[in-house]
């Protein structure tokens, strides 16, 4: 499990969008306190995005459900 707890300064809109429009490959499974759990359409891969659309963690479904509970309760 890879936790990407990083602090980003500035406006999130300043960050480049994903290459090749990769956002189209993700489906939002659930949202808790602004944190979104997403699944990739083509691979069995999950990630958590914060309210600024920045990736906070990535891994298996089971890992990300546990991480989502922890992040959403902060």
């Amino acid at each position: 499990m890879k936790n990407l707890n990083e602090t980003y300064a500035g406006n999130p809109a300043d960050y480049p969008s994903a290459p090749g429009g990769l956002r189209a490959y993700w489906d939002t499974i659930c949202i808790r306190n602004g944190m979104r759990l997403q699944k990739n359409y083509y691979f069995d891969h999950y990630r958590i995005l914060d309210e600024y659309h920045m990736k906070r963690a990535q891994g298996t479904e089971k890992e990300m459900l546990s991480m989502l509970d922890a992040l959403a309760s902060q």
Side-chain angles (χ1 to χ4, degrees):
M1 175 169 44
K2 186 175 181 184
N3 189 350
L4 303 174
N5 287 325
E6 299 173 357
T7 302
Y8 295 92
N11 185 348
D14 293 336
Y15 294 98
S17 50
L22 292 179
R23 286 189 231 175
Y25 299 125
W26 295 92
D27 186 28
T28 299
I29 305 300
C30 67
I31 300 172
R32 293 189 192 150
N33 290 343
M35 299 286 180
R36 288 180 290 144
L37 175 62
Q38 295 186 326
K39 179 182 180 180
N40 188 285
Y41 283 120
Y42 300 105
F43 305 104
D44 193 24
H45 181 78
Y46 293 80
R47 69 181 184 182
I48 297 173
L49 300 180
D50 65 14
E51 61 273 11
Y52 301 108
H53 311 288
M54 303 304 293
K55 184 169 38 173
R56 298 292 301 269
Q58 64 186 24
T60 66
E61 180 181 19
K62 184 177 179 180
E63 291 171 338
M64 293 302 96
L65 286 170
S66 176
M67 179 64 74
L68 181 64
D69 289 337
L71 289 171
S73 67
Q74 293 180 351

